[in-house]
Amino acid sequence: MYTRIITIDGPAGAGKTTVSKLLAQKLGCIYVDTGALYRGVAFEILQQKINWEDDPVLEGFLKTLDLNFIMEANHLVLMSSGRDISGYIRTPEISMLASSSSAKPQVRSALLDIQRHIARTKDAVFEGRDMGTVVFPNASHKFFLYADLAIRAKRRFDEMPEKAKDLSRVQKEMEIRDNNDSKRITAPLKPAKDAVEIDSTFLTAEEVVEKMLGYIEKA
Ligand code: DC
């Protein structure tokens, strides 16, 4: 069956999540946050104290991994072995571990089918790092969203609970993640050749969505 897939890639804090949700709402389709899957892997690595840098250990662990999304109202909830783990995957520790463990090709290939399976039956906006380059090279529309590092860090900082706030730490960690995600050998963060690049530094999420809709409607 043919489904319409729209991909949005880009670094952390560029506004991908807000924009993807809004765009999916406007188009009447679902929105899939693929970073949640990599966070789910990191969550289980921590829970089970897995030595993920050891390839045979990592491969054994990935065979037992049971991650999937279930549909709730109009959004997807991340489940691990039947348990909703979406409330536990947004910590700075998990962000860093998701970034480093996602460089492993074994981790990436374990998550590939889950992502493509969703796209088989549903129109969707997929956000991530390698949506347009690797997972959905034939997507209907591809976007790459970026913004200045200081602005991205400030946006993330503003979303944080009061007691966790530390702007310089947020910015430093974001820089490390950007570096990991774009320098890795397998599926690095980069725009697909046919992606429309949008700089969101001086744009609101609504303005970015308007621009995207302009490209989608023109096609
Ligand atoms: O989108 P996010 O910040 O929740 O993603 C967390 C990490 O997961 C990110 O630093 C790199 C990895 N990731 C990836 O490698 N590929 C994706 N498609 C999505 C996320």
Side-chain angles (χ1 to χ4, degrees):
M1 186 202 283
Y2 174 77
T3 57
R4 176 159 75 167
I5 300 302
I6 292 166
T7 62
I8 304 182
D9 290 305
K16 296 190 302 292
T17 303
T18 314
V19 163
S20 303
K21 279 185 188 162
L22 264 174
L23 183 65
Q25 228 173 49
K26 297 248 182 202
L27 296 173
C29 66
I30 63 162
Y31 141 78
V32 186
D33 163 19
T34 62
L37 291 170
Y38 291 90
R39 289 172 180 274
V41 170
F43 173 81
E44 288 299 343
I45 285 175
L46 282 178
Q47 286 282 303
Q48 301 177 38
K49 301 188 173 51
I50 302 294
N51 180 10
W52 61 273
E53 283 166 299
D54 179 324
D55 284 345
V57 172
L58 176 67
E59 283 150 23
F61 158 73
L62 290 170
K63 280 197 192 112
T64 66
L65 192 71
D66 175 22
L67 282 181
N68 72 303
F69 283 116
I70 58 163
M71 195 74 191
E72 208 166 79
N74 60 346
H75 68 285
L76 297 172
V77 174
L78 182 67
M79 309 292 286
S80 180
S81 301
R83 171 182 173 216
D84 175 359
I85 60 163
S86 25
Y88 308 105
I89 58 171
R90 303 279 158 201
T91 66
E93 188 185 19
I94 296 225
S95 301
M96 289 306 276
L97 183 55
S99 176
S100 39
S101 58
S102 68
K104 286 281 189 187
Q106 299 95 318
V107 170
R108 308 204 69 81
S109 70
L111 300 181
L112 202 58
D113 279 351
I114 304 176
Q115 299 169 69
R116 290 192 176 147
H117 184 76
I118 301 169
R120 247 173 250 147
T121 54
K122 291 186 175 68
D123 288 352
V125 176
F126 278 83
E127 69 142 298
R129 304 291 189 288
D130 61 341
M131 297 298 98
T133 49
V134 175
V135 183
F136 301 112
N138 301 320
S140 323
H141 301 279
K142 299 181 185 179
F143 296 99
F144 190 87
L145 195 58
Y146 63 96
D148 284 354
L149 173 65
I151 295 284
R152 292 190 282 120
K154 179 70 171 61
R155 285 178 187 159
R156 197 42 62 83
F157 173 80
D158 288 341
E159 292 163 5
M160 292 171 84
E162 212 51 53
K163 62 179 171 36
K165 280 184 186 280
D166 180 343
L167 182 56
S168 63
R169 184 171 166 203
V170 173
Q171 180 159 332
K172 187 81 227 140
E173 289 185 352
M174 212 169 233
E175 206 174 0
I176 296 172
R177 276 215 288 150
D178 283 356
N179 219 32
N180 285 343
D181 296 347
S182 50
K183 302 258 164 69
R184 69 181 174 225
I185 294 165
T186 313
L189 165 68
K190 65 172 181 193
K193 286 199 180 69
D194 49 351
V196 173
E197 295 187 38
I198 299 178
D199 179 354
S200 76
T201 307
F202 302 110
L203 298 177
T204 63
E206 287 76 12
E207 287 167 335
V208 172
V209 171
E210 281 313 306
K211 263 184 186 286
M212 290 178 169
L213 284 171
Y215 286 105
I216 293 168
E217 281 153 14
K218 215 164 54 188

